[in-house]
Amino acid sequence: MVLAAQAKGRPVIAANAARALVKRARLEGLEPLRALGPEEQALVEVPAELTEGTYREQFVALMGQHAGVDAATLEGFYRAQNVWDATMAGSIGGALAAGSRPVVQVVGGFHVDGAGGLYQRVRAANPSAKVWRLSVVAEVAEALRAEDRGRADVVAYVGPLPAS
């Protein structure tokens, strides 16, 4: 994807947060990130607040399935997820402000499926932008499955993943 974009003269933006700073958000909270110097601040967006509602509920349900995950650990992972979402949304907003059209962001489904946290943050910061969510599902289906309704604007079934 990167090579194809570059071959067409399209900008490629590193939209993700620096892994070390995401880890810090998970382990130490958001306040230490707010106190970073300007150079490190440029590598991360610190959300003013965490995304609430269905996104949090789905995250807790998914991550809470893992044995031994206590509430504090789960909250740390949710903070980290929100830092990723906020940083990617900020990168998308910056690209839009610079006149890039279209902006294509490739992420794991949880960030956008069912109006996930990244989707919510992009919409909130850029209300006039046309935002489309495409979800690629590694299964076969002849028509939209009931469980995929509302998942995205477009759902593409691509068949099962090959055995590794």
Side-chain angles (χ1 to χ4, degrees), residues 59-64 69-79:
F59 185 90
V60 168
L62 178 67
M63 295 301 287
V69 177
D70 60 44
T73 300
L74 193 56
E75 186 67 13
F77 278 111
Y78 192 64
R79 272 194 311 271

Side-chain angles (χ1 to χ4, degrees), residues 9-96:
R10 303 294 301 160
V12 176
I13 301 161
N16 215 342
R19 185 170 295 277
L21 297 176
V22 172
K23 181 178 180 180
R24 224 171 141 188
R26 178 173 59 87
L27 297 174
E28 300 174 33
L30 298 178
E31 289 309 314
L33 297 184
R34 291 188 177 105
L36 294 172
E39 194 171 295
E40 285 183 301
Q41 285 268 338
L43 303 175
V44 66
E45 290 266 341
V46 183
E49 55 191 33
L50 302 182
T51 303
E52 297 300 334
T54 303
Y55 187 60
R56 179 188 277 274
E57 293 164 12
Q58 290 172 338
F59 185 90
V60 168
L62 178 67
M63 295 301 287
Q65 296 173 9
H66 300 286
V69 177
D70 60 44
T73 300
L74 193 56
E75 186 67 13
F77 278 111
Y78 192 64
R79 272 194 311 271
Q81 181 84 2
N82 274 258
V83 168
W84 268 325
D85 289 336
T87 302
M88 289 185 289
S91 298
I92 292 167
L96 290 170

